[in-house]
C-alpha cells in the first residue's frame, strides 16, 4: 500500500498515453508510465518511487503483441514475463527471463517494466542486447524504431514522455545457439550474483551480463577478447576479465573480487558450451 | 485523498468498494472486504503469502493495485470449496502455523488448473514463489503431487 | 504400552480452519475503530538524538498522537535497560524512536515521513569481540544503575551485560594431561527468525481501566506480567488474547510491540491501537536471532577421550539485554556439547553491541554453540585420525556422567546418544565412506554432528489445564499453550483421549489463549509445551475421572474402585454392560422423578518443574533444566570443486524422543526444524555496513530456504522415556535444527579441504577461506 495519492490513467492508444503524460507533466505531477506496476508498489512503499499520475500502459494493443512479422519477432512491452515464457517464441529470452524474480511475480512483471526498471538487474534485456534487436519507442515525437544497442547505455535512454512499446528481433538470432546461466549468492533463488547470457552467431560468441556491474551490459571489448582464437581459452578469458567495465558490484550478494572468480568460471562454461 | 468506487469480481460475486489508487488489492480485500485469507507477509512480492488467483493464474495481491483488478476474475481462498488440494494439505500435514497456507494453496490450485500434467521442474518453478518457514517443503510436495494425481483421475 | 490414540497421525484440530483461509491471526481481527500505530525507526546504529521535530507531522489529517521516549519507564525482562522509544541516543539501526498514532496506516506513514530527527553519530560497536575490548565504545554508559534481577551479572564500565562462569574440575590440569589439543575460533553475525506472520499487537484501555491486548506472542502471560510491572498496572486488569500465531521460533517470546500498542492506546484515551510490523520493521526493529564469537579448546588422550574443554562465548546480544541474559546462561550450561568432560572452563559473556537486540531462536543458543563445538570435535578427529562418528561415540554423554553444571545424569533425565549415533550410522550409510567422487568436479561428502539440550527455564514456571464438559459428554480442553504451528494442542487432545480411552473427536481444544480464562502456561517456548502442559493435563484428567466415578458409583451403586472409564462411559469393570454415559452424569445425574445429584464436572490440573535451581555465580553449579534430549545428525552435500558451490542432497536426524505422540506432527517438527537449520547455516545472516546499518532487511535479500532447494530428509528416533514426562515424551520441537550448522560445516570443510569457521556457509565464504581472506 502506498501512502501517497496519485491519479491513475488507463489509456487505450499510444497518442492518448503520451497526451496524458504531457498534460500531467505540465501540471507538475511527476507522471510515470507503468505496466506491471510492481516497482511503483514495492519501491513506492519505502519512498524510493513517487508519482502523482500513473499512466498504465497495459491496455494499449501494440504493447500486447507477440508475433513474427517479416522475419522479425515482435514482442510487446506490456506482456508479462510468464506470458512470454509460455509462448516460448525466443528460447534464450525464455531461459533468461524464467530466472527473474519468481514464477508468480513474473505473472505481473512486464517486459517493458523489467527493461526500464529502476532495479538495476534488468535481466530481460540481455537477450535483446545480444540479438541486436530494434526497439519501438513512442513519445511526443511519434513512433520511432531504433537499434537497442544504440540507445541502451546501462539503461534504456528515453527522453521525457517516451516509452517502450515493442522489441523486434531478427529471426536469425532467435535460432542461434545460446546459453544463459544465473549464478546466485547461494542456491537457486534470489537476485543474480552474475547472470550471463550468450549466443553464437557467424562464428562469434556474444555475451551480456547482469549483476556484475550496477547495470546490465554487453561489452564489445570483452567479446573481442573471447573471440580471439589466437589465444588459448584460458588466455582469452583472462583478457576478457581485464575488459570488464567498472565498477564491479561489491554488495550483499558478493564482493567484487569474488564476482571475478565466478565470472572466470562462467566464461569457461560459456566458451565450453559453444565448442 | 483520491477515492474511486470500483467493482471487483471476487469469488464469483461483484463487490463494490471504495479505494485509494495507492491501495493494493491485498489491502482492499482484507481491510475493505473482510477476506483475510490472503496474508501480508512482506508487501513486497517476495513471500507469496498474499497469493490469490486472477483469471486463473496465481497473483501476489500485494503486487497489484485494487484499481487494476477491475474486469478480472479474482479468486481468493475463501472462494475455494473443499478442493483436492485443500484435502491434500490436511492429509499430508502440509502446514504447521498455517500462515503461508492460503497462499500456497492458491498457487497450487492454479497449477493444477493450468498445468494438470506438471512435472517436477514445473512444480518447483511455480512453488518457489512462496516461502514456508515451518514445514520442510516435502509435505507440500507430497500434497501437491497427490492432488495432481487425483485430479487426473477425476478428469479422466 | 498398547496405545489407541498416542502415536497416531491424528489430523490437527485446526486443519480445516487453516486450509480454508478462515484461521484468524492477530492482524486479521478487524474493527473500524482500530487506529494504526506507525513507528519511526533509527537509521543509525549508534547516534545521539539531538532534536526531534514533529510539527509538520502533527498537521497530517487523521493523526491522533505522536509519542517520543521521555518519561517512559525503562523495560527489559531481566534488566531494565531498554526505553520502549529511544531517549537521548539510539543504539541500533531500526530502534523505535517515535510512535505516530493515526486513523489509517497511510496517514500514519505520511506523518512519520514528515518527522525530522537530527542525530550526531557515535562510534559503532560492530561485533562482540570488539565490544569486549578495553577501549571499546560503550553501548550503555549507565549500566551500573539499571534495575535488575539478582542473578544477572553486568560489569559496569564495559559492554558486558551478563557473565556466566562454568568451573568444573581442573581445566589446566586436564589440558596438561592431554596428548593432543585443538583450538579454534568461530564467529557469525545475527540473523532473523523470519516467521511468515510478522509480529503485531493491538491494545485498548476500556473505560473501566481494563487493558485489553491482542498479540501475536508465544508468551501472553508474560505480556500481562511485564506490563503490570513496567507501568504499575493492576495485574488483574490486564487481559491478553493470543489467537493462532503464524510461526514464532522464539522470535515471539520477547515483549515489545505490546508495550508500544499500550503506550499508543494510552495516548489516545484508550482507543484500540494496532502496531503491525511490516517486514522491514519486523526484521530490524524487533528482536533477532543472536550472533556469536566463540573460542574453543579441546584436549584429549591418544584414543580421543576428551580430557578438558576451555570455552569462551561472546554472544552478540545487540543493544539491549532483554533475553540475552537467559541466552548467555543457556549457552553456558550445555557448553561442551553432549560429551563427557570432567574438566570444563567456560566463560559465557552476554555482550552489548550496536545491533538489533536478540531473542531466543529455536534451540535457545544451542544451534549456535553446537556449530563451534562440533566443528572443533571434527578438528580433533582429523588431528587424531579417528573416524569422527567413532570419536563422538566414545565421548558420548551417558547416565552416571555429570553436565557442565554438575547435574548427575540418570536413565531418565538424559537420552541415549550412543544409540542415536548407531542409528545415524545406518541411516546415512556411513560405512560407504564420507567422500564419494562423482567426477572431476563433483564430489559427495557427508558431515555429522551431535547435540544435546536442556531447557533452562524459570525454576517456578507453571502450567495449568482446565477441562469442562459439554452436555453431550464431549470435553473442552483449555491450556495456556499457544498454537504457534507445532500442533501441541492436537497432541494434548491425543494425550487426553488416550488417558480417558475416548474418541479424540470428542475432545475440543480451545485454540485461542486469553489470560483471563485460560490457565497459565509459562511460555510456549523451549519445546516445553507437551512436557509441562501434558503433566498438568494428566492431573486434570485424573481429577475428572475421579469426579465421574464418584457420581457413577452412586448411580450404579458400586464402589468407585470397581469402576472403569472408557468410550465416554463409566462402567463396572467386570460387567461393562452396567454403566452410565458421560452425558448422563457430566452435568449432574437426574433421577426419573427429577431429583438430581452431582453437578457440572470441572477438572483441573497443574504442573511445576521440580528441583530446578539458580546457578552458582562462581562455578555455575546448579540444576538448570529437567532433562536432556540428545540427537545425532548427518548432512550430505554435492560439492563442485571448481565453482565451490554445493547442493544439499540429504539431511538426517536421529533424536531420542522418548515416545512419538503424533507421528506426522513429530516428523513435521523435526524436518521443519532441519530445514530452518540448513537455511540458517547456508544462507541466512544480516549484512551490515560501516555504520552498522542492516543492508538486507527484506525477504528479497534475506532469503529463507525455498521449495526445491531443500534436501531429502531422513528422520529416525530413539525411545528412552523421560519418567517425569507425560507418556515419557521428550521435547522435540527444536532438536532437528541444532546439529545442522555443525554437520553442514563439517561436510563442506571436508569437501573443500579447508576449515570453515563462519556462518552462513556460502560459496563465497568457502572461496574466501581457501584464498586466506577471512
Ligand atoms: C519479487 C521480485 C523479485 C525480483 N527479482 C528480480 C530479478 O531477479 N532480476 C531482475 O532483473 N529483476 C528483478 N525484479 C525487478 C523487476 O523485474 C522489476 O521491478 C520490473 O522492472 C518491474 O516490472 P513492472 O512491469 O512491474 O514495472 P513497473 O513498476 O510498471 O515499472 C517499472 C519502471 O519502468 C518504467 N516503465 C514501465 N514500463 C515502461 C515502458 N513500457 N516504457 C518505459 N518505461 C517503462 C516505469 O516508469 C518504472 O520506472 C524483481 C521484482 C520483484 C517484485
Ligand atoms: S505479501 Fe505479497 S508476496 Fe509477500
Ligand atoms: S506453515 Fe508456517 S509458514 Fe508455512
Amino acid at each position: 500500500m502506498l501512502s501517497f495519492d496519485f491519479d491513475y490513467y488507463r489509456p487505450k492508444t499510444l497518442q492518448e498515453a503520451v497526451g496524458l503524460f504531457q498534460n500531467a507533466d505540465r501540471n507538475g505531477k511527476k507522471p510515470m508510465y507503468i505496466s506491471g506496476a510492481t516497482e511503483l508498489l514495492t519501491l513506492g512503499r519505502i519512498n524510493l518511487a513517487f508519482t502523482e499520475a500513473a499512466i498504465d500502459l497495459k491496455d494499449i494493443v501494440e504493447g500486447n503483441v507477440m508475433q513474427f512479422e517479416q522475419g522479425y519477432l515482435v514482442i510487446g512491452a506490456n506482456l508479462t514475463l510468464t506470458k512470454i515464457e509460455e509462448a516460448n517464441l525466443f528460447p534464450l529470452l525464455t531461459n533468461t527471463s524464467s530466472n527473474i524474480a519468481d514464477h508468480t511475480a513474473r505473472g505481473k512483471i512486464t517486459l517493458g517494466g523489467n527493461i526500464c526498471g529502476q532495479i538495476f538487474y534488468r535481466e530481460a534485456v540481455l537477450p535483446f542486447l545480444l540479438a541486436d534487436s530494434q526497439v519501438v519507442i513512442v513519445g511526443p515525437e511519434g513512433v520511432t524504431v531504433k537499434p537497442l544497442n544504440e540507445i541502451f547505455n546501462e539503461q534504456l535512454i528515453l527522453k521525457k514522455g517516451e516509452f517502450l512499446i515493442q522489441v523486434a528481433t531478427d529471426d536469425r538470432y532467435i535460432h542461434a545457439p545460446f546459453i544463459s546461466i544465473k549464478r546466485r549468492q547461494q542456491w537457486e533463488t534470489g537476485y543474480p550474483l552474475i547472470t550471463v547470457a550468450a549466443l553464437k552467431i557467424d562464428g562469434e560468441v556474444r555475451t551480456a551480463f547482469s549483476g556484475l556491474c550496477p547495470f546490465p551490459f554487453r561489452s564489445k571489448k570483452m567479446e573481442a577478447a573471447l573471440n580471439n582464437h589466437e589465444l588459448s581459452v584460458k588466455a582469452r578469458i583472462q583478457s576478457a576479465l581485464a575488459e570488464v567495465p567498472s565498477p564491479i558490484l561489491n554488495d550483499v550478494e558478493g564482493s567484487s573480487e569474488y564476482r571475478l572468480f565466478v565470472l572466470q568460471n562462467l566464461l569457461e562454461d560459456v566458451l565450453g558450451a559453444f565448442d | 485523498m483520491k477515492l474511486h468506487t470500483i467493482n471487483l469480481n471476487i469469488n464469483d460475486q461483484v463487490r463494490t468498494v471504495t479505494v485509494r489508487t495507492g491501495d493494493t488489492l491485498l489491502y482492499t480485500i482484507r481491510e475493505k472486504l473482510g477476506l483475510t485469507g490472503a496474508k501480508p507477509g512482506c508487501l513486497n512480492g517476495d513471500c507469496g503469502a498474499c497469493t490469490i488467483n486472477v483469471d486463473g493464474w496465481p497473483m501476489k495481491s500485494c503486487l497489484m493495485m485494487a484499481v487494476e483488478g477491475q474486469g478480472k476474475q479474482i479468486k481468493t481462498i475463501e472462494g475455494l470449496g473443499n478442493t483436492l488440494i485443500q484435502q491434500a494439505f490436511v492429509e499430508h500435514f502440509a502446514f504447521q502455523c498455517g500462515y503461508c497456507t492460503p497462499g500456497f494453496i492458491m498457487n497450487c490450485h492454479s497449477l493444477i488448473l493450468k498445468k494438470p500434467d506438471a512435472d517436477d521442474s514445473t512444480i518447483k518453478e511455480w512453488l518457489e514463489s512462496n516461502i514456508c518457514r515451518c514445514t520442510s517443503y516435502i509435505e507440500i510436495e507430497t500434497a501437491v503431487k497427490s492432488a495432481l494425481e487425483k485430479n487426473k483421475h477425476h478428469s479422466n | 504400552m498398547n496405545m489407541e490414540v498416542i502415536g497416531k497421525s491424528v489430523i490437527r484440530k485446526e486443519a480445516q480452519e487453516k486450509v480454508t483461509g478462515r484461521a484468524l491471526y492477530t492482524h486479521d481481527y478487524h474493527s473500524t475503530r482500530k487506529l494504526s500505530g506507525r513507528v519511526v525507526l533509527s537509521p543509525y546504529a549508534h547516534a545521539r538524538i539531538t532534536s526531534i521535530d514533529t510539527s509538520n507531522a502533527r498537521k497530517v489529517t487523521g493523526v491522533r498522537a505522536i509519542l517520543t521516549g521521555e518519561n517512559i519507564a525503562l523495560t527489559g525482562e531481566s534488566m531494565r535497560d531498554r526505553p520502549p522509544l529511544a531517549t537521548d541516543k539510539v543504539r541500533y539501526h531500526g530502534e523505535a524512536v517515535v510512535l505516530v498514532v493515526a486513523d489509517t496506516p497511510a496517514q500514519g506513514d505520511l506523518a512519520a515521513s514528515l518527522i525530522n530527527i537530527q542525530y550526531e553519530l557515535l562510534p559503532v560497536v560492530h561485533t562482540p569481540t570488539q565490544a569486549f575490548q578495553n577501549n571499546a565504545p560503550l553501548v550503555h554508559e549507565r549500566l551500573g544503575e539499571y534495575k535488575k534481577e539478582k542473578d544477572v551479572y553486568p560489569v559496569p564500565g564495559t559492554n558486558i551485560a551478563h557473565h556466566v562462569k562454568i568451573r568444573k574440575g581442573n581445566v589446566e590440569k586436564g589440558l596438561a594431561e592431554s596428548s593432543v589439543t585443538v583450538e579454534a575460533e568461530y564467529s557469525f553475525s545475527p540473523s532473523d527468525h523470519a516467521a511468515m506472520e510478522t509480529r503485531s499487537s493491538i491494545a485498548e484501555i476500556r473505560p473501566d481501566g481494563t487493558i485489553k491486548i491482542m498479540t501475536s506472542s508465544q508468551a501472553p502471560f508474560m505480556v500481562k506480567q511485564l506490563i503490570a510491572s513496567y507501568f504499575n498496572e493492576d495485574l488483574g486488569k490486564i487481559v491478553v488474547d493470543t489467537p493462532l500465531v503464524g510461526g514464532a521460533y522464539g522470535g515471539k517470546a520477547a515483549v515489545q510491540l505490546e508495550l508500544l500498542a499500550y503506550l499508543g492506546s494510552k495516548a489516545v484515551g484508550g482507543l484500540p491501537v494496532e502496531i503491525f510490523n511490516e517486514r522491514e520493521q519486523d526484521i530490524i526493529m524487533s528482536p533477532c536471532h543472536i550472533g556469536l564469537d566463540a573460542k574453543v579448546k579441546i584436549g584429549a588422550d591418544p584414543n580421543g577421550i576428551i580430557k578438558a574443554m576451555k570455552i569462551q562465548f561472546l554472544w552478540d546480544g545487540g543493544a539491549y539485554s532483554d533475553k540475552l541474559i537467559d541466552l548467555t546462561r543457556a549457552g553456558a550450561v550445555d557448553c561442551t556439547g553432549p560429551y563427557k568432560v570432567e574438566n570444563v572452563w567456560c566463560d559465557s559473556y552476554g555482550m552489548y553491541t550496536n545491533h538489533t537486540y536478540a531473542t531466543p531462536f529455536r534451540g535457545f543458543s544451542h544451534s549456535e554453540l553446537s556449530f563451534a563445538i562440533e566443528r572443533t570435535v571434527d578438528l580433533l578427529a582429523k588431528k587424531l585420525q579417528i573416524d569422527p562418528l567413532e570419536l563422538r561415540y566414545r565421548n558420548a554423554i551417558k547416565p552416571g556422567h555429570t553436565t557442565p553444571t554438575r547435574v548427575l545424569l540418570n536413565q531418565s533425565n538424559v537420552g541415549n546418544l550412543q544409540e542415536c549415533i548407531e542409528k545415524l550410522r545406518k541411516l546415512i550409510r556411513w560405512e560407504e565412506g564420507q567422500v564419494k567422487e562423482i567426477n572431476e568436479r563433483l564430489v559427495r561428502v557427508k558431515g555429522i554432528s551431535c547435540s544435546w539440550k536442556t531447557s533452562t527455564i524459570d525454576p517456578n514456571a507453571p502450567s495449568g489445564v482446565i477441562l469442562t464438559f459439554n452436555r453431550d459428554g464431549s470435553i473442552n480442553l483449555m491450556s495456556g499453550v499457544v498454537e504457534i504451528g507445532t500442533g501441541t494442542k492436537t497432541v494434548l487432545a491425543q494425550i487426553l483421549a488416550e488417558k480417558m480411552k475416548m474418541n479424540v473427536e470428542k475432545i475440543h481444544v480451545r485454540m485461542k489463549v486469553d489470560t483471563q480464562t485460560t490457565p497459565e502456561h509459562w511460555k510456549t517456548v523451549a519445546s516445553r509445551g507437551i512436557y509441562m502442559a501434558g503433566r498438568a493435563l494428566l492431573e486434570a484428567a485424573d481429577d475428572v475421572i475421579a469426579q465421574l466415578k464418584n457420581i457413577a458409583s452412586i448411580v450404579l451403586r458400586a464402589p468407585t474402585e470397581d469402576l472403569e472409564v472408557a468410550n465416554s462411559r463409566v462402567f463396572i469393570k467386570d460387567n461393562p454392560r452396567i454403566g452410565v454415559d458421560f452425558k448422563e452424569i457430566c452435568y449432574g445425574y437426574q433421577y426419573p422423578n427429577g431429583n438430581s445429584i452431582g453437578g457440572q464436572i470441572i477438572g483441573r490440573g497443574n504442573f511445576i518443574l521440580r528441583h530446578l535451581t539458580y546457578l552458582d555465580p562462581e562455578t555455575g553449579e546448579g540444576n538448570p533444566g529437567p532433562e536432556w534430549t540428545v540427537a545425532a545428525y548427518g548432512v550430505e552435500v554435492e560439492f563442485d570443486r571448481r565453482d565451490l558451490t554445493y547442493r544439499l542432497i540429504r539431511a538426517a536426524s536421529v533424536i531420542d524422543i522418548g515416545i512419538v505422540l503424533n507421528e506426522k506432527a513429530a516428523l513435521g517438527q523435526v524436518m521443519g526444524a532441519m530445514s530452518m537449520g540448513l537455511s540458517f547455516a547456508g544462507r541466512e545472516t544480516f549484512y551490515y555496513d560501516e555504520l552498522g546499518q542492516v543492508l538486507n532487511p527484506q525477504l528479497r535479500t534475506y532469503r529463507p530456504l525455498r521449495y526445491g532447494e531443500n534436501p531429502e530428509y531422513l528422520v529416525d528416533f530413539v525411545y528412552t522415556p523421560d519418567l517425569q514426562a507425560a507418556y515419557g515424551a521428550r521435547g522435540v520441537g527444536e532438536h532437528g535444527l541444532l546439529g545442522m550448522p555443525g554437520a553442514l560445516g563439517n561436510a563442506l570443510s571436508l569437501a573443500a579441504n579447508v576449515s570453515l569457521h563462519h556462518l552462513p556457509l556460502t560459496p563465497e565464504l568457502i572461496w574466501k577461506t581457501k584464498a586466506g581472506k577471512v
Side-chain angles (χ1 to χ4, degrees), chain C residues 311-375:
Chain C
I311 299 162
Q312 185 190 68
F313 295 138
L314 299 178
W315 298 97
D316 189 342
Y320 297 104
S321 69
D322 209 50
K323 311 288 307 176
L324 172 64
I325 308 302
D326 291 350
L327 287 160
T328 304
R329 182 180 53 196
V333 305
D334 290 340
C335 62
T336 54
Y339 307 109
K340 177 192 180 208
V341 190
E342 297 295 350
N343 304 298
V344 184
W345 176 290
C346 172
D347 286 306
S348 185
Y349 292 98
M351 300 303 301
Y352 286 123
T353 64
N354 290 119
H355 287 157
T356 302
Y357 64 103
T359 192
F361 176 74
R362 201 170 189 174
F364 220 103
S365 300
H366 285 67
S367 64
E368 299 84 353
L369 78 87
S370 292
F371 176 67
I373 297 299
E374 294 298 314
R375 282 287 304 117

Side-chain angles (χ1 to χ4, degrees), chain B residues 75-146:
Chain B
K75 200 180 262 308
T76 69
I77 185 133
E78 289 88 348
L80 298 192
N82 198 21
T83 54
L84 291 173
I85 188 67
Q86 287 167 297
Q87 293 163 15
F89 262 63
V90 171
E91 197 177 319
H92 298 285
F93 282 58
F95 64 87
Q96 288 179 25
C97 80
Y99 200 78
C100 71
T101 311
F104 255 109
I105 287 181
M106 293 313 287
N107 195 3
C108 294
H109 180 68
S110 256
L111 175 77
I112 294 168
L113 212 68
K114 298 282 179 190
K115 306 269 165 178
D117 299 311
D119 58 9
D120 279 7
S121 85
T122 306
I123 297 174
K124 173 168 181 285
E125 180 182 14
W126 281 57
L127 296 196
E128 71 189 13
S129 306
N130 299 55
I131 301 174
C132 176
R133 191 62 161 160
C134 296
T135 73
S136 74
Y137 295 116
I138 300 282
E139 302 89 333
I140 294 174
E141 180 182 351
T142 314
V144 71
K145 286 185 175 167
S146 88

Side-chain angles (χ1 to χ4, degrees), chain A residues 32-40 57 77 99-102 105 108-110 112-114 116-117 119 121-123 158 163-164 182 190-192, chain B residues 44-46 63, chain C residues 700:
Chain A
M32 183 183 198
Y33 290 121
I34 58 171
S35 46
T38 62
E39 271 196 14
L40 174 63
L57 305 173
N99 276 303
I100 294 173
D102 59 62
K108 193 74 184 358
I109 294 172
T110 62
N114 182 273
C116 303
I119 296 174
Y121 298 107
R122 305 177 199 116
E123 292 179 79
L158 295 173
F163 62 89
L164 172 70
K182 179 166 181 171
Y191 279 145
Chain B
N44 202 48
D46 300 328
L63 287 182
Chain C
R700 198 165 316 162

Side-chain angles (χ1 to χ4, degrees), chain C residues 403-418:
Chain C
T403 74
T405 66
R406 306 185 214 181
V407 176
L408 180 63
L409 297 172
N410 59 41
Q411 302 285 351
S412 163
N413 68 1
V414 68
N416 188 338
L417 181 59
Q418 288 190 331

Side-chain angles (χ1 to χ4, degrees), chain A residues 19-271:
Chain A
L20 285 166
F21 188 99
Q22 288 176 311
N23 197 26
D25 189 42
R26 270 194 297 276
N27 293 323
K29 297 209 155 181
K30 302 198 176 90
M32 183 183 198
Y33 290 121
I34 58 171
S35 46
T38 62
E39 271 196 14
L40 174 63
L41 286 170
T42 57
L43 298 182
R45 60 177 276 277
I46 51 174
N47 300 323
L48 294 178
F50 177 81
T51 184
E52 287 177 60
I55 300 159
D56 191 337
L57 305 173
K58 295 201 224 335
D59 288 349
I60 299 178
V61 282
E62 290 88 336
N64 288 308
V65 298
M66 187 163 32
Q67 67 208 33
F68 284 98
E69 278 172 34
Q70 299 162 0
Y72 280 84
L73 171 64
V74 180
I75 302 182
N78 301 342
L79 291 169
T80 63
L81 298 181
T82 39
K83 275 216 181 98
I84 295 171
E85 293 157 25
E86 290 282 322
N88 193 21
L89 299 178
F90 185 2
L92 170 57
L93 178 60
T94 304
N95 231 272
T96 312
S97 157
S98 62
N99 276 303
I100 294 173
D102 59 62
H103 177 265
T104 307
R106 292 199 302 280
K108 193 74 184 358
I109 294 172
T110 62
L111 180 65
N114 182 273
I115 292 179
C116 303
Q118 274 186 67
I119 296 174
F120 60 52
Y121 298 107
R122 305 177 199 116
E123 292 179 79
V125 81
L126 304 181
F128 300 113
L129 290 174
L130 297 176
D132 288 333
S133 299
Q134 308 283 314
V135 285
V136 184
I137 306 286
V138 183
E141 287 146 38
V143 180
T144 48
V145 180
K146 293 181 185 159
L148 173 67
N149 280 315
E150 254 170 47
I151 67 160
F152 193 92
N153 180 11
E154 303 191 358
Q155 57 189 19
L156 196 65
I157 309 295
L158 295 173
K159 293 203 233 51
K160 191 176 225 176
E162 284 187 338
F163 62 89
L164 172 70
I165 193 70
Q166 289 171 347
V167 188
T169 306
D170 190 329
D171 206 28
R172 267 179 7 106
Y173 295 99
I174 304 287
H175 302 292
F178 68 89
I179 180 171
S180 147
I181 308 170
K182 179 166 181 171
R183 187 60 56 71
R184 296 165 173 97
Q185 176 208 59
Q186 176 70 293
W187 301 321
E188 290 153 48
T189 48
Y191 279 145
L193 174 69
I194 302 179
T195 295
V196 55
L199 62 72
K200 190 167 187 180
I201 192 100
D202 303 332
E204 304 269 277
V205 174
R206 298 180 175 188
T207 52
F209 303 88
S210 163
L212 182 53
C213 301
F215 46 82
F217 68 91
R218 177 177 161 202
S219 153
K220 291 269 157 76
K221 286 184 183 163
M222 286 177 74
E223 284 173 14
L226 292 173
N227 289 307
N228 182 351
H229 292 277
E230 304 191 340
L231 298 178
S232 69
V233 168
K234 271 223 153 62
R236 275 186 262 166
I237 291 173
Q238 287 312 317
S239 52
L241 289 178
E243 298 294 350
V244 176
S246 62
I248 297 174
L249 278 171
N250 187 24
D251 59 14
V252 300
E253 305 300 335
S255 65
S256 42
E257 283 174 296
Y258 175 61
R259 277 186 160 93
L260 283 175
F261 164 76
V262 172
L263 178 62
Q264 183 176 330
N265 290 335
L266 284 174
L267 291 176
E268 208 176 295
D269 291 340
V270 165
L271 294 183

Side-chain angles (χ1 to χ4, degrees), chain B residues 39 46 96-97 133 137, chain C residues 18 25 28 684 705-706:
Chain B
K39 303 294 180 208
D46 300 328
Q96 288 179 25
C97 80
R133 191 62 161 160
Y137 295 116
Chain C
K18 282 182 173 172
Y25 302 80
D28 296 335
E684 294 182 32
L705 207 69
R706 298 255 179 174

